[in-house]
Amino acid sequence: MHFIPEDIDNYVVAHSENEPELLQQLNRETYQKILQPRMLSGHYQGRVLSMISKLVNPKNILEIGTYTGYSTLCLAEGMQVNGELHTIDINEELQDFSQKYFDKSDYKNQIFQHLGDALEIIPKLDKTFDLVFIDADKENYSNYFNAIIDKLNTGGIILSDNVLWSGKVLDTTFKKEDTSTPALIAFNALLKNDKRVETVVLPIRDGLTISRKL
Ligand SMILES: C[S@@+](CC[C@H](N)C(=O)[O-])C[C@H]1O[C@@H](n2cnc3c(N)ncnc32)[C@H](O)[C@@H]1O
């Protein structure tokens, strides 16, 4: 979904950083071989993630929702040389695919994949983080926030994807079987009201929230 007119969107992309070659390959192969390729962050949002990571210059990064590893590699671009990026996904069919690209990258010794339910894995990670990217099942976004907030260093950043959910967060008449929309509405309210973070919502792609721990 475009939140700004498509020609302006195209202009924005044309005047932003190009997509690195390895990420172009990953993007293409995901669209050729993997189900639901639209889940991948893509060129423009990927450059936004890379830029934010470079500004934060995190030591440790946590990503919830690896998929094919596109956003992982974007976030890794800003990581410190002695840093670690821990990325979690429940779908084991994607692991070899993403690992192939991690191995081709400059960060192959710094990226650690975890397979399983993020809510079970996060409590077992004996680390603190400077940057967290929440991009898995929408129903659990609030649970992910609660699971990571005490592992986030002061000044640390949480990025949350899809927070506008194609605009459906405005809809109070969502269908009973739609569990994602009410979960995202509750999550957006949680971030706005939680006194441990300050939050801004950016209308980038499907909505990207930046929250900073106070
Ligand atoms: C939107 S995709 C992530 C896209 C990726 N961050 C990117 O930008 O390229 C969401 C991923 O979350 C994973 N996922 C869903 N529920 C999960 C859970 N409970 N624990 C861990 N991963 C989960 C899915 O398997 C899927 O690969």
Side-chain angles (χ1 to χ4, degrees):
M1 165 156 188
H2 295 274
F3 289 107
I4 56 175
E6 199 167 344
D7 51 351
I8 302 276
D9 221 12
N10 292 338
Y11 184 90
V12 167
V13 174
H15 292 81
S16 298
E17 285 296 307
N18 295 330
E19 187 177 35
E21 174 59 32
L22 184 65
L23 290 175
Q24 287 179 32
Q25 284 173 28
L26 198 170
N27 201 336
R28 261 197 309 272
E29 199 179 344
T30 300
Y31 271 82
Q32 282 162 357
K33 299 185 179 164
I34 308 290
L35 289 174
Q36 296 182 282
R38 285 168 56 87
M39 295 213 293
L40 174 148
S41 279
H43 172 185
Y44 177 67
Q45 181 164 302
R47 289 307 86 206
V48 172
L49 295 175
S50 162
M51 178 65 85
I52 293 171
S53 184
K54 286 169 184 166
L55 291 170
V56 175
N57 190 219
K59 181 161 190 298
N60 292 336
I61 303 174
L62 174 64
E63 177 180 60
I64 307 171
T66 319
Y67 187 52
T68 55
Y70 190 97
S71 51
T72 318
L73 289 172
C74 297
L75 294 166
E77 290 176 30
M79 177 170 50
Q80 293 179 22
V81 285
N82 60 345
E84 294 182 0
L85 192 160
H86 292 263
T87 183
I88 308 172
D89 205 288
I90 203 165
N91 185 349
E92 67 179 299
E93 287 173 17
L94 299 170
Q95 204 174 22
D96 290 347
F97 184 101
S98 45
Q99 191 61 50
K100 180 177 81 177
Y101 281 93
F102 298 159
D103 288 344
K104 287 186 191 177
S105 79
D106 293 340
Y107 317 104
K108 64 175 178 189
N109 297 321
Q110 291 175 272
I111 296 176
F112 301 89
Q113 291 210 63
H114 302 266
L115 182 63
D117 186 338
L119 281 177
E120 289 173 18
I121 290 170
I122 293 166
K124 294 182 193 149
L125 294 175
D126 190 17
K127 302 262 166 210
T128 61
F129 298 93
D130 303 303
L131 180 60
V132 177
F133 184 40
I134 302 179
D135 192 17
D137 50 326
K138 310 309 155 197
E139 289 80 1
N140 274 315
Y141 267 34
S142 295
N143 293 331
Y144 293 139
F145 174 81
N146 290 322
I148 52 127
I149 189 69
D150 289 336
K151 292 180 184 286
L152 187 67
N153 295 321
T154 301
I157 299 292
I158 303 171
L159 300 173
S160 310
D161 198 16
N162 307 107
V163 294
L164 296 178
W165 208 226
S166 305
K168 282 188 273 185
V169 288
L170 295 180
D171 185 5
T172 49
T173 59
F174 43 82
K175 298 193 178 96
K176 264 204 195 107
E177 60 272 20
D178 174 5
T179 50
S180 299
T181 304
L184 284 166
I185 291 171
F187 176 70
N188 290 337
L190 171 68
L191 290 184
K192 166 81 178 165
N193 294 320
D194 195 297
K195 299 282 177 269
R196 292 170 293 182
V197 290
E198 54 183 356
T199 286
V200 285
V201 178
L202 305 179
I204 286 173
R205 215 178 68 132
D206 196 22
L208 181 73
T209 295
I210 306 185
S211 307
R212 178 178 169 274
K213 187 167 173 183
L214 299 170

